[in-house]
C-alpha cells in the first residue's frame, strides 16, 4: 500500500474561496460595462467627436501613410474643401477631449480605429458596432489659429480588449491577439486588414449575425478598467490568501484577523514617535501626520480623511519616502492626475524623483519607462551617504523641548485642578467688557481650590440673578449710586444700610411725620397725608 499525502481544504478555506469568487464576479461586472453605453462595443458616430477617414474624399494613399507611422496633415488627407472644413472642426473637438482626459484623469483615450464588428445581440436593443483594431494616435494643432491639424500614430495596434472579453464570456470564442494579428518583425499588421478580417470571421463563424465592415476613424475610447478585470480573474488564489481583500469579499474569519491585527498595531496621539535615526520624514509634518505615518509603518490599515489644505498630499509624500527607506514598494493611484502631480512635485522638490516610476502615460511607452528606470539606477549609485548625526541630535532636543512644553501647558495644576491652556481658553472666551483687572497672588491664590472656585462661581451666579451686574451709577437701579460710590460693597456695608433703613422706617420717619402733623395743625394747614413707599424700599 502506498502512503499518499492528502491535505483537504478546511471548511473555512472553502467558505473563503466561495466568497472571494462571488465577490470577484460582482466586482468585474461593476468594472466592465457590456451594455449599450460602452463605445468599445456599441460605437455611435458623434456630432463632433468622430473623424471619419474612410469618406470618399479622403486619400487612400495618404491614409496608408498615416497607418505606417508618418505624420499627416488633414489638408493633405482630404481633397474636398467642405470635408476638410468639417474635419478640422472635428479635430478640434477630439483634441480638446483627449487633452482633458490626459490632464484630468491621466488617460490616453485618442485612437485610430479600424474594422467594425457586429453580431446579433439578444440581450439589449442596441446593435453592436465594435472597433476591432485600436492604435494610439496623436493629434497636433498647426499654428495658433488651429486651421489645420496633424495626425500621427504613436504605437503599434492592438485588438480591442473589450471585444475579446465579450466574445469569450458570451460566446466562448477565445481569441489570442498575437495570433489574430500575426505580428512579424518590421511589419505593421494594420496594413493587412484583409488578412485580419478573414481570420477573425473564421474564428467567429458560429456567432449569430457576425460580420465586419471596413472603416477607418478617429475617436476617444477608454478601456482602463479592463486590465483590472483581468487582474481580478487571474488573482483568485492571491486574493484568497490576502487577509484584507478576503475581508472585503465578506469572509468573517479574515475580518476577525484584521481586528486582532489592528488591536496589536494601534497607534494614537499618546504613542511615542520613533527616534530621528529611525524616522524618514522628508517634509514638515505635525503630530497627527507623524502618527499616521507611524501607524502605516506598523502595518495598520488606514483611511485618512481631511478637507482640502490639511496636508494629505504632504503626508502621502512623507509616507512614500518612509516606506521606501524601509525597503518597501508603494503603489500610489488617484482618480485625478492633479493629485499624482501634487505628490510627485513634492518628492522632486526633495530630490527624490528618482524613487518614482510615473506610469501616467501608460505601459505603452516602453522605451521611456526603461530609460527612467536606468537613469534612476545610475543616480542612486552616485549619491553619497549623508552625515545626519548632528541633525538627529538637534531634532531630538527640539522635539523633547516641544513635548515638555505641551505637557506643561496641558497638565492639571493643583489645587485648582485646571491647566494653563484651559485657563487661558476660558479668559479668551469671555467678552472684553466682562473681564476684570483684579489679580490674586500668594496665599489668596493658593486658597482658590477647585471647591472654592466652585463655591465662588455659585455666588457670582446668585449675584447676577439678583441684578448685581446692573448696579451702576447710571443704571437707574435704586442701589446703583450707593454701589458706585463704594458705600455698599460688602456684607458690613449692607448690614449698616439695613440697620439704618429699619431705624428710619420704625422710629425716625414716624416721629418726623407726627411732628409735621402737629405743626400743620397749629398753623391751620390741612392735615398731612403720608403713605410710606414700602414697595420701593
Amino acid at each position: 500500500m502506498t502512503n499518499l499525502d492528502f491535505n483537504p481544504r478546511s471548511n473555512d478555506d472553502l467558505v473563503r474561496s466561495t466568497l472571494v469568487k462571488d465577490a470577484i464576479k460582482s466586482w468585474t461586472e461593476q468594472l466592465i460595462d457590456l451594455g449599450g453605453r460602452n463605445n468599445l462595443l456599441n460605437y455611435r458616430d458623434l456630432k463632433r467627436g468622430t473623424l471619419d477617414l474612410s469618406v470618399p474624399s479622403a486619400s487612400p494613399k495618404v491614409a496608408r501613410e498615416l497607418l505606417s507611422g508618418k505624420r499627416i496633415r488633414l489638408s493633405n488627407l482630404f481633397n474636398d474643401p467642405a470635408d476638410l472644413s468639417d474635419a478640422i472642426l472635428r479635430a478640434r473637438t477630439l483634441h480638446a477631449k483627449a487633452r482633458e482626459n490626459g490632464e484630468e484623469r491621466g488617460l490616453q483615450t485618442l485612437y485610430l480605429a479600424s474594422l467594425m464588428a457586429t453580431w446579433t445581440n439578444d440581450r439589449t436593443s442596441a446593435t453592436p458596432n465594435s472597433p476591432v483594431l485600436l492604435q494610439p494616435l496623436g493629434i497636433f494643432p498647426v499654428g495658433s489659429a488651429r486651421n489645420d491639424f496633424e495626425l500621427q500614430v504613436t504605437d503599434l495596434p492592438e485588438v480591442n480588449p473589450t471585444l475579446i472579453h465579450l466574445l469569450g464570456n458570451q460566446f466562448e470564442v477565445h481569441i489570442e491577439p498575437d495570433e489574430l494579428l500575426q505580428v512579424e518583425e518590421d511589419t505593421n499588421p494594420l496594413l493587412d486588414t484583409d488578412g485580419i478580417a478573414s481570420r477573425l470571421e473564421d474564428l467567429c463563424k458560429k456567432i449569430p449575425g457576425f460580420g465586419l465592415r471596413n472603416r477607418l476613424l478617429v475617436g476617444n475610447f477608454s478601456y482602463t478598467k479592463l486590465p483590472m478585470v483581468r487582474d481580478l480573474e487571474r488573482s483568485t488564489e492571491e486574493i484568497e490568501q490576502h487577509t484584507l481583500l478576503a475581508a472585503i469579499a465578506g469572509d468573517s474569519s479574515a475580518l476577525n484577523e484584521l481586528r486582532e491585527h489592528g488591536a496589536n498595531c494601534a497607534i494614537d496621539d499618546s504613542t511615542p514617535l520613533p527616534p530621528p535615526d529611525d524616522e524618514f520624514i522628508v517634509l514638515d509634518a505635525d503630530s497627527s501626520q507623524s502618527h499616521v505615518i507611524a501607524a502605516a509603518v506598523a502595518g495598520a490599515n488606514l483611511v485618512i480623511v481631511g478637507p482640502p489644505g490639511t496636508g494629505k498630499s504632504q503626508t502621502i509624500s512623507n509616507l512614500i519616502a518612509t516606506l521606501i527607506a524601509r525597503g518597501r514598494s508603494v503603489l500610489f493611484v488617484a482618480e485625478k492626475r492633479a493629485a499624482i502631480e501634487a505628490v510627485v512635485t513634492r518628492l522632486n522638490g526633495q530630490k527624490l524623483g528618482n524613487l518614482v516610476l510615473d506610469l501616467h502615460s501608460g505601459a505603452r511607452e516602453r522605451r521611456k519607462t526603461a530609460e527612467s528606470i536606468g537613469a534612476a539606477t545610475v543616480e542612486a549609485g552616485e549619491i553619497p551617504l549623508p552625515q545626519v548625526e548632528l541633525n538627529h541630535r538637534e531634532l531630538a532636543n527640539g522635539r523633547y523641548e516641544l513635548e515638555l512644553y505641551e505637557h506643561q501647558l496641558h497638565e492639571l495644576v493643583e489645587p485648582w485642578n485646571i491647566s494653563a491652556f484651559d485657563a487661558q481658553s476660558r479668559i479668551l472666551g469671555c467678552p472684553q467688557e466682562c473681564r476684570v483687572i483684579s489679580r490674586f497672588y500668594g496665599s489668596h491664590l493658593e486658597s482658590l481650590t477647585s471647591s472654592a472656585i466652585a463655591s465662588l462661581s455659585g455666588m457670582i451666579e446668585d449675584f447676577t440673578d439678583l441684578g448685581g451686574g446692573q448696579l451702576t451709577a447710571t443704571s437707574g437701579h435704586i442701589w446703583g449710586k450707593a454701589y458706585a460710590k463704594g458705600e455698599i460693597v460688602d456684607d458690613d456695608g449692607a448690614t449698616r444700610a439695613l440697620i439704618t433703613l429699619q431705624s428710619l422706617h420704625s422710629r425716625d420717619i414716624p416721629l418726623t411725620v407726627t411732628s409735621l402733623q402737629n405743626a400743620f395743625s397749629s398753623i391751620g394747614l390741612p392735615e398731612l397725608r403720608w403713605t410710606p413707599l414700602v414697595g420701593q424700599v
Side-chain angles (χ1 to χ4, degrees):
M1 179 178 293
T2 302
N3 292 326
L4 299 176
D5 291 332
F6 179 62
N7 295 315
R9 301 183 69 179
S10 67
N11 186 59
D12 289 344
D13 291 339
L14 293 175
V15 170
R16 175 177 291 194
S17 178
T18 301
L19 289 171
V20 167
K21 289 177 180 176
D22 290 344
I24 289 176
K25 182 180 179 181
S26 174
W27 295 337
T28 55
E29 289 175 351
Q30 295 175 50
L31 282 170
I32 189 165
D33 178 16
L34 299 180
R37 296 175 299 176
N38 192 333
N39 70 347
L40 286 164
L41 298 175
N42 301 280
Y43 186 78
R44 298 293 178 270
D45 286 6
L46 302 178
K47 185 177 181 180
R48 288 296 181 199
T50 300
L51 176 57
D52 193 346
L53 304 184
S54 53
V55 296
S57 70
S59 169
K61 178 182 178 181
V62 178
R64 285 194 297 270
E65 291 178 351
L66 173 65
L67 294 172
S68 67
K70 292 183 179 181
R71 182 175 286 208
I72 301 299
R73 285 198 179 190
L74 291 178
S75 55
N76 294 330
L77 182 61
F78 289 92
N79 298 320
D80 184 90
D83 286 345
L84 175 60
S85 178
D86 180 68
I88 290 174
L89 292 176
R90 294 175 180 274
R92 287 179 185 150
T93 302
L94 288 164
H95 177 260
K97 186 63 177 178
R99 185 174 61 180
E100 176 188 338
N101 290 335
E103 293 177 353
E104 294 290 329
R105 304 171 61 195
L107 300 178
Q108 155 68 37
T109 59
L110 192 63
Y111 289 91
L112 181 66
S114 54
L115 283 180
M116 307 300 290
T118 188
W119 58 91
T120 301
N121 186 7
D122 296 331
R123 301 192 177 191
T124 67
S125 58
T127 302
N129 185 39
S130 174
V132 176
L133 301 174
L134 296 168
Q135 194 161 3
L137 185 76
I139 185 167
F140 312 97
V142 176
S144 58
R146 300 188 177 187
N147 291 327
D148 203 351
F149 285 84
E150 292 181 338
L151 309 179
Q152 184 178 30
V153 294
T154 58
D155 210 333
L156 295 176
E158 61 180 317
V159 182
N160 181 351
T162 307
L163 174 62
I164 293 176
H165 181 82
L166 179 139
L167 295 178
N169 279 3
Q170 291 190 5
F171 301 105
E172 297 186 356
V173 175
H174 302 286
I175 297 174
E176 292 295 333
D178 289 345
E179 294 180 4
L180 180 64
L181 296 175
Q182 292 188 358
V183 178
E184 297 179 4
E185 190 175 358
D186 297 329
T187 63
N188 189 331
L190 268 180
L191 298 178
D192 186 24
T193 53
D194 292 339
I196 294 172
S198 177
R199 289 189 290 273
L200 183 59
E201 287 177 336
D202 185 59
L203 291 170
C204 300
K205 57 186 177 183
K206 294 182 179 179
I207 298 177
F210 187 86
L212 295 172
R213 182 162 61 101
N214 274 317
R215 205 173 172 205
L216 189 64
L217 59 87
V218 179
N220 279 290
F221 303 88
S222 177
Y223 51 92
T224 55
K225 293 181 180 180
L226 189 61
M228 298 171 64
V229 172
R230 291 173 174 170
D231 283 345
L232 287 171
E233 293 174 341
R234 289 194 298 258
S235 306
T236 303
E237 292 185 5
E238 288 84 350
I239 294 175
E240 290 179 15
Q241 297 169 7
H242 196 288
T243 305
L244 177 59
L245 297 181
I248 294 175
D251 181 60
S252 58
S253 62
L255 187 58
N256 291 332
E257 290 180 38
L258 282 181
R259 288 172 176 160
E260 182 178 354
H261 175 71
N264 294 332
C265 65
I267 292 180
D268 54 32
D269 290 342
S270 62
T271 306
L273 295 173
D277 58 354
D278 192 37
E279 191 175 47
F280 301 95
I281 294 177
V282 296
L283 298 166
D284 291 341
D286 61 23
S287 59
S288 64
Q289 295 166 346
S290 297
H291 282 99
V292 164
I293 295 169
V297 170
N301 299 301
L302 304 174
V303 176
I304 304 173
V305 180
T310 54
K312 295 188 296 299
S313 296
Q314 191 140 322
T315 302
I316 293 171
S317 303
N318 278 327
L319 185 56
I320 291 174
T322 298
L323 293 174
I324 291 178
R326 294 174 179 273
R328 305 286 294 276
S329 59
V330 182
L331 174 64
F332 174 50
V333 295
E335 182 179 2
K336 299 288 187 179
R337 174 61 188 172
I340 297 176
E341 288 181 346
V343 172
V344 173
T345 300
R346 284 173 168 80
L347 292 175
N348 286 333
Q350 300 301 313
K351 299 182 180 180
L352 297 176
N354 62 337
L355 300 179
V356 179
L357 178 59
D358 188 359
L359 296 178
H360 167 227
S361 300
R364 295 184 185 86
E365 298 187 12
R366 300 180 181 91
R367 178 176 297 177
K368 182 179 179 181
T369 301
E371 291 175 353
S372 175
I373 295 174
T377 303
V378 172
E379 184 178 352
E382 296 176 348
I383 298 176
L385 292 176
Q387 302 298 321
V388 294
E389 290 78 7
L390 178 60
N391 292 336
H392 284 170
R393 286 197 298 270
E394 292 178 351
L395 176 60
N397 292 335
R399 178 176 289 173
Y400 171 77
E401 293 177 1
L402 288 173
E403 289 176 348
L404 181 62
Y405 174 80
E406 181 186 20
H407 173 73
Q408 294 173 342
L409 184 64
H410 294 281
E411 182 182 15
L412 297 180
V413 180
E414 296 297 339
W416 312 287
N417 199 32
I418 189 173
S419 70
F421 179 84
D422 290 335
Q424 188 66 24
S425 298
R426 294 185 186 183
I427 292 173
L428 294 175
C430 294
Q432 188 68 33
E433 59 271 14
C434 294
R435 300 182 188 179
V436 296
I437 61 174
S438 301
R439 292 292 183 269
F440 299 92
Y441 303 93
S443 60
H444 295 287
L445 186 62
E446 293 176 355
S447 66
L448 288 176
T449 63
S450 56
S451 59
I453 292 175
S455 177
L456 289 173
S457 298
M459 293 180 182
I460 292 173
E461 291 177 358
D462 293 341
F463 174 76
T464 303
D465 292 340
L466 292 172
Q470 302 174 2
L471 295 179
T472 63
T474 59
S475 65
H477 196 280
I478 192 172
W479 299 108
K481 291 183 179 179
Y483 179 80
K485 292 180 179 180
E487 297 173 354
I488 304 177
V489 294
D490 53 18
D491 289 347
D492 291 340
T495 300
R496 289 194 300 269
L498 181 60
I499 293 172
T500 301
L501 287 173
Q502 289 174 341
S503 176
L504 287 170
H505 183 266
S506 62
R507 187 190 65 185
D508 297 343
I509 291 178
L511 289 174
T512 301
V513 170
T514 300
S515 297
L516 287 173
Q517 286 176 339
N518 293 334
F520 276 37
S521 175
S522 64
I523 61 177
L525 291 176
E527 182 181 356
L528 176 66
R529 297 179 181 275
W530 171 69
T531 302
L533 301 177
V534 178
Q536 293 189 22
V537 176

